[in-house]
Amino acid sequence: MNNSFGKYIVIFYLCVLAGLADLTARPVRTLVIEDRVANKSRFDYAIEKLPSAGETVRMASLPAAYRKATGDDVIIGLLDGASWDRYVPEALLQQLKKKESFLLYRKGKNAPLIIIGKDETGVLYGCEEVRLRQQDIEGPVSLVDAPEMVLRGTAIGLQKTEYLPGRDVYEYPYTEELFPWFYDKDLWIRYLDMMLENRYNSLYLWNGHPFSSLVKLKEYPYAIEVDEATFAKNEEMYRFLTEEANKRGIWVIQMFYNIILPKPFAERHGLKTQERNRVITPLIEDYTRQSIAAFVQKYPNVGLLITLGEAMEGVGEDDVRWFTKTILPGVKDGLQAIGSDVEPPVILRAHDTDAPAVMAEALPIYKNLYTMAKYNGEALTTYTPRGKWAELHQRLGNIGTVHIQNVHILANLEPFRYAAPDFIQKCVVAMHDIHLSNGIHVYPQASYWDWPYTADKVDERLLQLDRDWVWYRAWGRYAWKAERDKADEEHYWSEQLQRYFGLEQRDARSLLNALQEIGEISPKILRRFGITDGNRQTSSLGMLMTQLINPYRYGLFTLLYDSEAPEGEMIIEYAEKEYKGEPHVGETPTQVAAEIVAHGRRAVDLVESMGKATRNTDELRRVLNDVYIHSALAAHYSAKVKAAIQVLSYKYTRNVEALKSAVPDLEKSLEAYSTLVDLTKDSYLYANSMQTKQRKIPMRGVDATYKHWEEMLPVFEAELRNFKHAIDSLTRNAGNSIKTEKVLLPVSVVFEGSIKQVSLKKGAKPYRDQELVITHLPAELEGLQAVQVDSEKQKREGTLLRFTCTQPVKVLVGYFNSEDKVFAPKPVLEIDATANDYGQAEAKIRNAVRLQYMPMVDVHTYSFPAGTQELKLPKGEALILGIVDDRELLYPYNADIDNQGDDLDDLFGHYGETKL
């Protein structure tokens, strides 16, 4: 009894002493020098972020604050807000030169901690640094930090995985039905806090035409696309978002395309919402200028990101005129309306436009301009960019304004996690050193079109914000400072993973190394085997054999190999050099085929040696599944590439044994793909979040089809089955050609206006104003009725053909294989989202026609239903070679009129109605 009583007495006295200590210990005070503060909301928010339970005291002067301060206090102010040199070493103050830089200084343990910002954002980052490093700054402190990149931003798309009824790509009004997350303030706060934590300072909102959801025009009241209640909510959300972003040092930047018109406006005036080759009329110009003016007047602190190309015809005079005569004057009109001379930032996106030429015309009339271009296209492929694309970046980087790197779409990373900090760091270094860039704009790591969700198949959908935390943290970390010690970075990221998953230190290091290994796989696959850097290819779904052995059939985007990959060889180049006994150059397909398998195996070995996690265990299970997925994907590609090289050797040797030797590797590829299906069928909803007609590789993904590995497995099974059957046929019928004859018959239509036709044959003249004649064409095109065109008019105005047909037809258009601006550009989905609206994106007959002295011509087809129709072609020379039944030319082929080699595609047959 006495012992128990004594124990309680001791506890009582300990509690009393603890209470006295709490009462007598003076809480930390924040002594604030407010002089020269311009952005008060950001400055006050910074102070709120400090881990202080004490009072905030506004001080009139620094000497008064310092006299009053003790070692428990914090003094905060702007560099220009006080004379700091009496209290802080001059050498440290001299380092505060860049915007957003900050200084932390404490002379000794009993001295106050001083936080100085070059500006309000610098104060904010300084306070954040104190919050994150509380235990590290109790003694003497001397730290100055500043960002290397001026703009460090993230992107969110107000887009959907599918088109809306009656609308085209990018056309999505801001409504709760379409984008419920846009109205979720708690989610926005979480996202903005993530941005602040990673020191991002710009947020880009992507949408085709946002103005009809955000502003009203007196002259065009019918242009608004949302009801009054929704418009009021949009106003409230935009105000909320911009205010909360401003507190955290973040610029909101609204992106839009040109020229997109709101649906009610377009219908009122009998126009299309999008028309790449549209004529810029005074009505369209006035509406757009007024929309921009109203937006700037309403949101003068919001920047604008402009895509001149894609939705309007790119490189040429129209984009320069549109930017300098419509967009920038619209911005100035808005500023004039509110009496402001502070130019909001305007960013010109160098996509499908001659950005250097546009900037040369624009800078004399508007100074606060930036440029932006894609880093590795719509993918992530290399940290050694080069070639013409690097040259464009360098030209933009040398203009004298800030040039921004857009890490765009990431189609080759979808839908899996990408958490390879080492690869990301090297990319940022390349952005500085090779692309001469000083800004970054990072897309979501995957599922851009499905924001805010990931593609993971779980009971409650995961948020990209949560799943892809390493992605956002890595780009933000290296945008702030790119060159960091490798050992320090390994320690940093291992520690991050250790904390997140509750792992032992050794296991966290193993996981990091596994993530670094698989981080090499997808970039290497696309840059050495792919068709394009664009989102029409979903490389995680694999590729058809014909896509590997005959990439030109699928519209090979050569920039992928020439600029977005190390120097090296395509599969077709490698096979040709092997046959000719020529030396290989750079990174080869066989080298990468071996390397990606090695990466996958090492990653699997690393994670299989790990112990158990104590936190976020479900997420770690999904991460590990991604490791196994990458290993299977690597095995699939590696074996298929080896088979492709064997198939290509048949092209040169005509030895059926070469085809037979490809069968075991093609079987291994299919086996690995079956494993991939097993690993993804219960873990992922889809491979690519863009589930529209733009997706074409490996299969045409219309209406969300062929979006999962389970759907692709039967295709690859048929491919192998057809190949074996073709080998049997060749063995039985040695020497027979696999090429088939095609016969095309003309279809009559009624043309509007004066149209002259000429029968296609050798010696025919397809131009009214030139004496050039056809020298080569395949037999199947002979007898078609070509439309004679005026080449000079084509170059000035483009081509317009109106006609009426009584049945569905295809118009055969010949595009010259040349990038010379005298020729009309081919429809290319990489730069034009409408490039397949009539089925025209793919060349149906390659190497089809040759005119004397002219480049080779490929035939693309435009499909039209019965009725009155209109064909518009861009400016430049092109041929209209005839009109046939729409049921013709269902499958592309190589006419090979110059006898450059046989087409091997028929070896792989069909899957349903699709030629493989």
Side-chain angles (χ1 to χ4, degrees):
M1 177 70 176
N2 289 339
N3 288 341
S4 298
F5 179 78
K7 181 170 70 174
Y8 286 123
I9 289 293
V10 170
I11 293 174
F12 172 80
Y13 275 105
L14 288 173
C15 292
V16 170
L17 289 172
L20 288 173
D22 286 340
L23 290 172
T24 58
R26 187 178 55 78
V28 175
R29 292 177 303 170
T30 304
L31 309 179
V32 181
I33 313 299
E34 290 187 312
D35 195 23
R36 303 294 180 92
V37 171
N39 194 325
K40 194 170 187 303
S41 61
R42 187 175 304 171
F43 188 80
D44 289 346
Y45 186 75
I47 295 168
E48 292 174 14
K49 297 290 287 183
L50 275 175
S52 169
E55 61 179 332
T56 297
V57 182
R58 312 283 174 169
M59 304 298 294
S61 69
L62 176 58
Y66 206 87
R67 284 195 301 271
K68 189 172 184 179
T70 70
D72 295 323
D73 293 332
V74 177
I75 300 177
I76 297 177
L78 297 175
L79 178 63
D80 294 336
S83 298
W84 299 96
D85 52 342
R86 288 177 52 191
Y87 311 101
V88 179
E90 182 67 22
L92 292 178
L93 294 171
Q94 288 296 323
Q95 296 178 47
L96 277 181
K97 295 180 179 180
K98 289 186 176 182
K99 290 181 179 180
E100 304 181 316
S101 60
F102 64 89
L103 182 156
L104 306 182
Y105 180 72
R106 173 183 277 134
K107 187 174 183 179
K109 186 175 182 180
N110 296 322
L113 174 66
I114 295 175
I115 303 174
I116 307 173
K118 173 68 175 176
D119 49 28
E120 291 86 349
T121 308
V123 170
L124 176 64
Y125 291 155
C127 292
E128 274 286 286
E129 189 74 12
V130 171
R131 185 181 67 83
L132 294 172
R133 300 175 53 164
Q134 292 181 60
Q135 295 179 350
D136 299 335
I137 56 176
E138 293 180 352
V141 177
S142 181
L143 171 67
V144 177
D145 206 355
E148 291 176 343
M149 285 194 163
V150 173
L151 282 181
R152 307 170 305 281
T154 63
I156 290 178
L158 280 96
Q159 314 281 8
K160 305 293 289 184
T161 60
E162 71 287 331
Y163 292 173
L164 297 182
R167 293 180 182 268
D168 214 324
V169 65
Y170 308 132
E171 297 179 32
Y172 301 100
Y174 290 11
T175 68
E176 285 190 283
E177 180 183 7
L178 293 176
F179 306 109
W181 56 265
F182 182 74
Y183 304 87
D184 187 337
K185 293 183 178 180
D186 290 339
L187 181 61
W188 274 121
I189 292 297
R190 286 192 59 211
Y191 187 82
L192 295 173
D193 284 346
M194 177 279 293
M195 293 185 69
L196 173 57
E197 181 182 349
N198 293 300
R199 295 181 184 171
Y200 288 110
N201 65 3
S202 44
L203 169 62
Y204 299 80
L205 301 178
W206 284 62
N207 185 267
H209 188 77
F211 307 116
S212 54
S213 295
L214 298 172
V215 295
K216 296 178 181 177
L217 303 180
K218 183 179 179 181
E219 290 80 358
Y220 305 103
Y222 50 85
I224 196 77
E225 293 198 88
V226 297
D227 58 39
E228 287 295 331
T230 301
F231 186 81
K233 290 177 182 176
N234 290 346
E235 286 184 312
E236 178 194 357
M237 285 308 305
Y238 225 80
R239 183 167 51 251
F240 166 81
L241 178 58
T242 52
E243 289 175 356
E244 291 297 327
N246 174 61
K247 289 180 186 177
R248 294 162 176 82
I250 298 166
W251 264 346
V252 175
I253 299 172
Q254 180 66 63
M255 178 270 180
F256 63 97
Y257 285 90
N258 290 289
I259 303 169
I260 296 180
L261 301 174
K263 196 171 190 296
F265 178 92
E267 291 174 345
R268 175 76 168 259
H269 295 285
L271 300 169
K272 295 180 180 179
T273 56
Q274 295 187 50
E275 188 175 5
R276 181 172 170 81
N277 303 303
R278 79 160 82 241
V279 175
I280 300 174
T281 66
L283 172 69
I284 293 172
E285 196 166 10
D286 183 64
Y287 165 74
T288 305
R289 180 169 175 170
Q290 287 202 38
S291 295
I292 293 169
F295 181 84
V296 171
Q297 182 178 352
K298 193 172 186 179
Y299 304 107
N301 296 320
V302 176
L304 292 172
L305 169 61
I306 290 93
T307 298
L308 282 180
E310 188 156 344
M312 68 181 285
E313 186 176 350
V315 181
E317 296 179 3
D318 284 352
D319 52 355
V320 176
R321 171 190 162 190
W322 189 251
F323 193 62
T324 59
K325 302 298 184 184
T326 301
I327 293 175
L328 293 181
V331 174
K332 288 188 169 186
D333 290 347
L335 293 175
Q336 184 178 3
I338 57 175
S340 173
D341 59 359
V342 180
E343 295 180 340
V346 173
I347 303 168
L348 172 67
R349 186 171 169 233
H351 175 69
D352 190 28
T353 189
D354 186 348
V358 176
M359 287 292 286
E361 295 289 330
L363 278 170
I365 62 176
Y366 197 91
K367 298 304 179 186
N368 198 13
L369 292 178
Y370 301 73
T371 57
M372 176 187 292
K374 297 173 183 174
Y375 173 61
N376 283 166
E378 296 181 341
L380 188 65
T381 58
T382 187
Y383 42 78
T384 58
R386 60 192 180 92
K388 290 183 179 180
W389 195 240
E391 291 171 7
L392 172 64
H393 280 282
Q394 291 159 8
R395 288 179 66 193
L396 295 173
N398 281 319
I399 286 176
T401 60
V402 174
H403 179 49
I404 304 164
Q405 298 289 294
N406 182 196
V407 183
H408 193 84
I409 292 289
L410 295 315
N412 67 320
L413 304 186
E414 281 199 302
F416 315 122
R417 292 155 180 78
Y418 191 88
D422 184 62
F423 197 102
I424 291 173
Q425 182 183 16
K426 290 174 180 175
C427 288
V428 178
V429 171
M431 292 173 180
H432 285 293
D433 296 348
I434 300 176
H435 282 177
L436 308 182
S437 186
N438 203 23
I440 196 170
H441 170 194
V442 182
Y443 258 49
Q445 186 259 297
S447 300
Y448 164 75
W449 305 91
D450 201 15
W451 180 270
Y453 301 111
T454 74
D456 294 87
K457 191 175 183 180
V458 291
D459 292 337
E460 184 175 350
R461 295 196 67 182
L462 302 181
L463 296 175
Q464 297 175 35
L465 171 63
D466 296 327
R467 190 195 82 162
D468 300 323
W469 62 275
V470 174
W471 173 262
Y472 287 111
R473 190 164 300 179
W475 288 108
R477 179 174 177 81
Y478 299 122
W480 183 269
K481 182 180 179 182
E483 298 280 5
R484 298 175 187 260
D485 179 75
K486 184 175 179 61
D488 290 345
E489 291 310 286
E490 288 179 352
H491 174 76
Y492 171 83
W493 288 108
S494 295
E495 189 176 62
Q496 298 297 308
L497 294 171
Q498 184 179 358
R499 291 176 181 173
Y500 189 83
F501 292 114
L503 293 167
E504 295 292 333
Q505 186 178 30
R506 179 184 66 85
D507 294 333
R509 182 63 61 94
S510 294
L511 179 58
L512 173 63
N513 289 336
L515 295 174
Q516 305 280 35
E517 291 285 355
I518 64 171
E520 295 282 348
I521 293 174
S522 289
K524 286 184 176 180
I525 285 173
L526 189 68
R527 77 187 189 208
R528 197 47 57 204
F529 313 139
I531 299 292
T532 173
D533 66 6
N535 59 18
R536 65 184 168 103
Q537 174 167 1
T538 307
S539 61
S540 66
L541 284 176
M543 293 172 66
L544 301 175
M545 183 64 82
T546 53
Q547 290 162 352
L548 296 174
I549 66 172
N550 190 9
Y552 286 101
R553 166 184 160 185
Y554 296 90
L556 178 68
F557 195 64
T558 56
L559 197 70
L560 171 63
Y561 291 92
D562 297 339
S563 290
E564 296 159 4
E567 184 179 15
E569 298 171 1
M570 292 187 291
I571 294 172
I572 54 176
E573 294 171 327
Y574 179 89
E576 183 177 5
K577 288 187 175 186
E578 280 288 286
Y579 171 70
K580 293 179 178 179
E582 295 176 351
H584 296 288
V585 177
E587 188 178 72
T588 67
T590 52
Q591 171 194 337
V592 169
E595 287 176 355
I596 58 176
V597 170
H599 287 309
R601 286 174 178 165
R602 286 194 293 266
V604 168
D605 289 344
L606 284 163
V607 299
E608 287 187 341
S609 67
M610 287 171 49
K612 292 185 178 180
T614 59
R615 288 192 292 274
N616 295 310
T617 54
D618 287 341
E619 175 60 12
L620 181 59
R621 175 180 51 79
R622 291 187 285 265
V623 170
L624 299 183
N625 191 54
D626 276 4
V627 171
Y628 289 104
I629 284 173
H630 277 89
S631 183
L633 184 65
H636 164 69
Y637 266 103
S638 180
K640 198 157 194 176
V641 166
K642 293 173 185 175
I645 293 170
Q646 290 297 323
V647 171
L648 284 168
S649 71
Y650 171 77
K651 172 181 177 179
Y652 301 104
T653 65
R654 311 308 296 176
N655 186 345
V656 179
E657 294 303 315
L659 299 179
K660 293 179 179 178
S661 67
V663 171
D665 281 320
L666 199 53
E667 290 174 335
K668 289 179 184 177
S669 174
L670 185 61
E671 182 181 346
Y673 201 85
S674 297
T675 300
L676 191 58
V677 171
D678 290 338
L679 291 168
T680 56
K681 64 182 179 182
D682 295 323
S683 59
Y684 280 100
L685 297 169
Y686 54 75
N688 192 325
S689 60
M690 188 182 72
Q691 296 161 11
T692 60
K693 59 189 175 184
Q694 273 78 11
R695 285 199 309 116
K696 295 177 72 67
I697 301 168
M699 294 286 280
R700 190 163 179 257
V702 179
D703 299 329
T705 55
Y706 296 108
K707 67 178 182 178
H708 200 279
W709 298 264
E710 283 186 296
E711 293 176 273
M712 282 303 304
L713 183 59
V715 178
F716 291 138
E717 289 172 338
E719 181 183 58
L720 176 60
R721 188 167 56 249
N722 295 344
F723 183 55
K724 289 180 177 179
H725 184 268
I727 293 173
D728 290 341
S729 297
L730 285 171
T731 302
R732 291 193 303 270
N733 303 289
N736 287 352
S737 171
I738 63 173
K739 191 173 179 179
T740 60
E741 289 295 324
K742 303 171 179 67
V743 178
L744 297 175
L745 298 175
V747 170
S748 295
V749 301
V750 178
F751 293 104
E752 180 181 312
S754 177
I755 296 294
K756 183 177 179 181
Q757 291 180 277
V758 60
S759 183
L760 271 189
K761 62 182 179 180
K762 291 181 181 179
K765 297 178 181 179
Y767 288 115
R768 293 181 186 176
D769 57 338
Q770 294 189 36
E771 294 300 315
L772 297 176
V773 299
I774 293 174
T775 59
H776 297 75
L777 81 162
E780 59 268 27
L781 293 186
E782 290 189 9
L784 291 183
Q785 298 300 299
V787 175
Q788 276 196 330
V789 292
D790 184 324
S791 65
E792 289 303 315
K793 186 176 181 181
Q794 281 186 322
K795 284 182 275 192
R796 292 193 314 270
E797 303 175 10
T799 302
L800 175 63
L801 186 70
R802 294 190 177 96
F803 61 92
T804 301
C805 51
T806 58
Q807 65 180 79
V809 298
K810 280 189 173 79
V811 180
L812 278 58
V813 176
Y815 286 101
F816 292 93
N817 284 327
S818 172
E819 294 182 2
D820 193 306
K821 292 181 182 179
V822 72
F823 301 115
K826 291 183 177 184
V828 177
L829 280 166
E830 278 77 9
I831 60 175
D832 177 11
T834 65
N836 202 45
D837 284 359
Y838 303 93
Q840 75 271 32
E842 186 174 41
K844 286 295 173 63
I845 314 176
R846 301 180 309 285
N847 303 310
V849 177
R850 188 182 284 282
L851 276 67
Q852 59 188 144
Y853 317 124
M854 300 285 271
M856 184 67 73
V857 172
D858 287 347
V859 175
H860 293 243
T861 63
Y862 290 69
S863 290
F864 295 96
T868 299
Q869 307 298 344
E870 183 177 270
L871 170 70
K872 276 190 175 182
L873 303 179
K875 294 175 184 176
E877 293 185 37
L879 304 175
I880 301 179
L881 295 168
I883 299 177
V884 301
D885 191 300
D886 194 42
R887 292 170 292 185
E888 299 284 6
L889 292 175
L890 297 177
Y891 311 120
Y893 67 96
N894 181 12
D896 196 29
I897 59 169
D898 275 2
N899 297 315
Q900 295 297 311
D902 291 315
D903 192 339
L904 304 179
D905 291 14
D906 286 349
L907 290 168
F908 300 95
H910 292 73
Y911 179 76
E913 296 184 355
T914 301
K915 181 176 181 181
L916 300 178

